[in-house]
Amino acid sequence: MAENSPPQGRDHPAELPPTLSAVAKLAGVSSITVSRVVRLPAQVAPETRARVERAMRQLGYVPNLVAGALASARTNSVGVLVPTIANSIFADTVQGLSDKLEPAGFSVILAQSRYDDQLEDRMLAALLSRRPEAIIMVGSPATEDGARLLRNARIPVVETWDLPAHPIDAVAGFDNFKAGVAVARHLIAQGRKHLAFIGGNEPRGTRRWLGFRQETLAHGLPEPQRLILDRNAPGSAAANLHLPDVDGVFAANDAYAIGFMAGLRKAGRLRQAAASEQPVAVVGLGNLEMGQLISPSLSTISVHGHSIGRTAAALTLERGGERHIDLGFELVLRDSG
């Protein structure tokens, strides 16, 4: 297929996307009532509206909000869903896919889930209602409702920043579990014996923790501590309040790592010296520019974000070939650990 051809996959030979009339039948109402729920929900009784919305979720129905468009019309757009635009960790991925899609004639529609499962479902529905040619998302659908929406859309779907065992369609990412293993192995090789993991509890971070924990226990060391922080917490308070005795830390991303190091610096537990001389070794993930500029510079897992984006875009444009692509990661060692 030529690169500027529209992505394939909207029409499915065996099963078409659910229709408005199918929703009406399941909910026991008229098609007009379903249409009102979609466009003028305030004019529908709450009980009826709830019944229709429940039927829509059950069927994975998404209304078509492309006004006046024919069912076969092309929008030349690709929907992209990221957890947040506040953290620059995903910026390279968005840039990479834009660099590939825009010259091919496709616009990018960006939405964010804010790590909220229900908001993610609503954003997926909002993107799909614009009838994009494909969906690219960081991670995998958080709920079965979200997964059903994507399956029923019959368009290319690319999950990124992870390697799910059973993707909806295509994958471009890296193994988060192995990233955790690599960091634990490195810290243990340094002679660190009291380890901890700090970060959130979203699925990708949890897989990093599980790899980190498994490798630590496999070396006969004590159970590593896991400190779950609020997504907006900088991590600095955790340095002494919750983890006073650790000597090696893996932070789920560079932002947490940098915040944690600020706490160590304030407590006098951070030195302007080589990694081997640090009282507490710290490793992050993401290879943010700020981590290279601070002192001591931050050791980190470097993820090929731009390549993930370009590969994800290519997977939406080209339907043949490998659909499960592991782009790997690199452990970048600097002075923090």
Side-chain angles (χ1 to χ4, degrees):
M1 181 191 305
E3 187 172 283
N4 62 352
S5 298
Q8 302 300 305
R10 167 160 294 171
D11 297 320
H12 192 275
E15 183 180 352
L16 294 175
T19 62
L20 183 145
S21 59
V23 173
K25 182 177 181 180
L26 181 61
V29 299
S30 68
S31 295
I32 293 176
T33 298
V34 175
S35 182
R36 284 177 181 158
V37 169
V38 170
R39 300 184 182 279
L40 301 167
Q43 295 185 8
V44 183
E47 181 180 343
T48 302
R49 185 169 69 242
R51 193 162 71 249
V52 171
E53 290 172 344
R54 187 162 55 248
M56 290 168 65
R57 288 194 301 273
Q58 184 174 336
L59 292 175
Y61 171 77
V62 177
N64 186 350
L65 298 185
V66 182
L70 297 174
S72 60
R74 296 290 180 182
T75 61
N76 289 333
S77 65
V78 173
V80 177
L81 182 65
V82 299
T84 178
I85 58 174
N87 189 332
S88 61
I89 195 170
F90 302 120
D92 282 351
T93 297
V94 175
Q95 187 65 58
L97 62 89
S98 297
D99 288 348
K100 185 77 172 177
L101 290 170
E102 289 172 358
F106 297 94
S107 59
V108 172
I109 306 173
L110 184 65
Q112 57 180 336
S113 68
R114 302 182 188 274
Y115 295 97
D116 181 310
D117 293 357
Q118 300 309 312
L119 179 58
E120 177 180 290
D121 286 353
R122 293 199 296 275
M123 290 300 98
L124 284 174
L127 288 172
L128 290 169
S129 71
R130 269 67 185 176
R131 292 304 187 261
E133 310 296 340
I135 291 287
I136 299 172
M137 64 184 300
V138 170
S140 300
T143 71
E144 180 51 38
D145 283 344
R148 187 181 300 111
L149 287 175
L150 291 173
R151 286 194 296 266
N152 286 346
R154 310 299 163 186
I155 59 176
V157 174
V158 185
E159 298 159 62
T160 69
W161 276 72
D162 207 355
L163 294 176
H166 304 288
I168 291 172
D169 176 16
V171 174
F174 67 100
D175 193 321
N176 284 279
F177 185 92
K178 288 183 179 179
V181 169
V183 175
R185 191 171 293 163
H186 165 68
L187 293 174
I188 294 167
Q190 275 195 337
R192 311 290 176 171
K193 299 185 182 300
H194 302 286
L195 307 184
F197 178 92
I198 64 173
N201 59 353
E202 45 82 31
R204 293 175 304 284
T206 296
R207 279 187 275 282
R208 293 166 202 162
W209 151 250
L210 291 173
F212 185 77
R213 176 182 181 275
Q214 176 177 293
E215 187 68 11
T216 301
L217 295 177
H219 281 78
L221 295 182
E223 172 98 17
Q225 298 182 63
R226 183 187 187 189
L227 182 61
I228 297 176
L229 299 177
D230 181 87
R231 292 182 196 92
N232 297 317
S236 59
N240 298 290
L241 181 61
H242 299 290
L243 303 173
D245 302 319
V246 301
D247 59 5
V249 169
F250 178 28
N253 61 50
D254 281 0
Y256 285 132
I258 292 168
F260 186 75
M261 288 171 64
L264 292 175
R265 185 178 294 106
K266 184 176 180 180
R269 301 173 68 199
L270 198 66
R271 297 177 182 170
Q272 308 306 315
S276 60
E277 298 179 39
Q278 297 296 341
V280 183
V282 181
V283 180
L285 183 144
N287 199 21
L288 297 183
E289 183 178 4
M290 180 60 68
Q292 303 174 47
L293 299 177
I294 62 173
S295 183
S297 54
L298 176 64
S299 294
T300 187
I301 292 284
S302 178
V303 176
H304 307 295
H306 192 272
S307 293
I308 288 175
R310 287 187 64 87
T311 303
L315 288 168
T316 69
L317 295 169
E318 199 64 57
R319 297 297 289 159
E322 177 61 44
R323 307 290 289 167
H324 195 277
I325 300 177
D326 183 353
L327 291 160
F329 58 84
E330 297 174 10
L331 180 58
V332 179
L333 299 179
R334 301 191 181 106
D335 290 338
S336 72

